[in-house]
Amino acid sequence: AVDFRPPGFENNDQKPIGYGRMLRKEDARFIRGKGRYVDDVRLPGMLHLAILRSPLAHARIVRIDTSAAEAHPKVKAVVTGAMLAERGLAWMPTLAGDVQAVLATDKVRFQGQEVAFVVAEDRYAARDALELIDVEYEPLDPVIDVRRALAPDAPVIRTDLEGKTDNHIFDWETGDAEETERAFASADVVVSQDIVYPRVHPAPLETCGAVADYDRVSGKLTLWSTTQAPHAHRTLYALVAGLPEHKIRVIAPDIGGGFGGKVPIYPGYVCAIVGSMLTGRPVKWVEDRSENLISTGFARDYIMRGEIAATRDGKILAIRTHVLADHGAFNAQAAPSKYPAGFFGVFTGSYDLQAAYAKVTAVYTNKAPGGVAYACSFRITEAVYLVERIVDRLADELGMDPVELRLKNLLKPEQFPYKTKTGWVYDSGNYEPTLRKAMEIAGYHELRKEQAERRARGELMGIGVSFFTEAVGAGPRKHMDILGLGMNDGCELRVHPTGKAVLRLSVQTQGQGHETTFAQIVAEELGIPPDDIEVVHGDTDQTPFGLGTYGSRSTPVSGAAAALVARRIRDKAKIIASGMLEVSVADLEWRKGAFHVKGDPTRAVTIQDIAMRAHGAGDLPEGLEGGLDAQICYNPENLTYPHGAYICVVDIDPGTAKVKVRRFVAVDDCGTRINPMIIEGQVHGGLADGVGMALMEMIAFDEDGNCLGASFMDYLLPTALEVPDWETGYTVTPSPHHPIGAKGIGESATVGSPPAIVNAVVDALKPFGIRHVDMPLTPSRVWEAMQGRPQPP
Ligand code: CDP
């Protein structure tokens, strides 16, 4: 038999796909500094674009004088909203079906909004010329407090929308309100908790940028841009700007982190395109850190009231929630069209409930637009935080150990596929072993003993648990689209005569290692070593159409596509093999990398032999065309539902109220594991994100709408100093409908870790009688919560 796994991988205990923990192919260029990002693109004659942004959160534009900027010797063009309006380009659609100003025409609606742009010979001149533009504003009252946005006397932000007399965007409901009310009425115990998930920012290392190159002769536009969804962006540019789609090429080169923040189309991309069309030269726009933090997509900003009903002995009956969602000045949330609150509907968590109900009310405020799925499958992070906080509150109310309460209520393996009270069908799950494994790694019972001893000495130690189920892999086209584009992924595989292959994907990696893992999937299916498989992505001229990478959808959707396209090739290869071996197809069996004649192991042809025959001289079996290529467009049957159990241990300094995450145990189940090393990397990164959100990160505003988190001096990101050595584990519950049983992993840790950390901090503060503190749990917030409380012994 041909075993294509290299020495050392045959008995890999992690039972991975293909080559298991193989090192990332893309590291060869990244560790040598040979990555090629948008800012590395330098074209002959290239000009530079800078954007003038509003200093005010809400103001009428009275007058813009660009004459001094135009007179600057290095300036080639100065463009305002009024000029774009003449060409019908001042407004663009958002992913949520609203419109957003490319450049403001009538009013500015958030601090940092795009007002004008300059194209100049170099970046410095472009920036200097911004200072020469004179804008007269008439300040208007800003709406900053989301709770006040719906007050009858609140100023109306979206006066551009005909007939709009308030700041209401939508109300969305899920579940059954009456059934839930009945379950609450019958409950022994009801707990209610107000919970804020603050506005945070994906804060990728690389900010957003674009290089637009419009060729006036061929009419072709080439756009290098920091996009997680090149194909969807190309279609939208075609629809909005009226450019023929085949004359647009969007290239997403190496991307320095996306985390959902590079899904929307930002005004800067459109400005770069306009700038190139106007000047006939390539135009580069790269925003700086502050621009990125104040104007590109924020995440979360959900104010939630969570209620949970249970019996006295701890059977959870129902969960109910009402959410006030701050969407900023334009509804630019990224989510499939039918899901205005994203996948918040999974707030029922991992538990067997009788009833559930949620209502989400979304409003406009004078803040940057966004609502992007920051390392999150469309609002799942908020949903998981809500349910895992209120379950902990219930445990406290019942005097039950939070682990015992969860064990009592977790869904049982025989309940899968499980339809939740809000209509989601969880594909597979085996929850209890995952939680038990986390408890075992953490030494949960010993930790509780240690905590009791420390408490007796007045020390503040906390243990926090969370258990989450995610819904990832958007998605089935009968339910999911973005602006009318079905959420399917194309994939093309071409095997060359010598048995080397090229796999073309519609998804776009931003550091997740697709060039490695997707090659591993094909290696597993076809027996071609991963090093012989080139993965091509991020270029609309080179890859089939698909909706891009976000919401951990790559493995569930494109990963499935890659496996299936390889199987198509294998089917054809089998017919060719039957001709080569002169036996019928039914007499062949496939074992890693080769077709063998049943009962005669000496007679076999490898996929490489078959590839040569497919392209070579001589006849092929009747009816078969030459070549060895295949293409598919994959429509997933369902989402995949990864799960995980996290345990966090914190110590709080009673003097400074500083929280230290001492230990963090994460046990994840993402079904079949393709590359355990990459999975660990994804989990480590997500856990660090979780520490950031739980303890440090928040985009805050003052009462005038000035953004207070506009640099990394104020918007704090976790470093190696704030995070512990992660302790990870795994269980494997394959997805029944995914061809290789894989579920997504990219965002599990970001989703699951904040509640574990907050639960740990609240647990540590239990002696003070504290039941909840909102994120971020900075020393000042924790210290404030401790004040005026009876001191623990
Ligand atoms: O869509 P995105 O790539 O961000 O998320 P993902 O599909 O969860 O995959 C993240 C990375 O982990 C990719 O390189 C995957 O191929 C890899 N992965 C894996 O090795 N095994 C899994 N079961 C899931 C993901």
Side-chain angles (χ1 to χ4, degrees), residues 14 21 673 675-685 728:
Q14 301 218 40
R21 303 179 72 93
R673 297 155 63 81
N675 186 321
M677 183 195 70
I678 285 182
I679 291 173
E680 275 164 27
Q682 295 284 298
V683 171
H684 288 182
T728 57

Side-chain angles (χ1 to χ4, degrees), residues 537-569:
H537 55 83
D539 182 344
T540 56
D541 269 10
Q542 304 249 16
T543 56
F545 185 86
L547 271 237
T549 292
Y550 38 85
S552 297
R553 67 184 295 283
S554 302
T555 303
V557 188
S558 270
L564 292 179
V565 82
R567 284 179 199 178
R568 269 195 195 169
I569 290 213

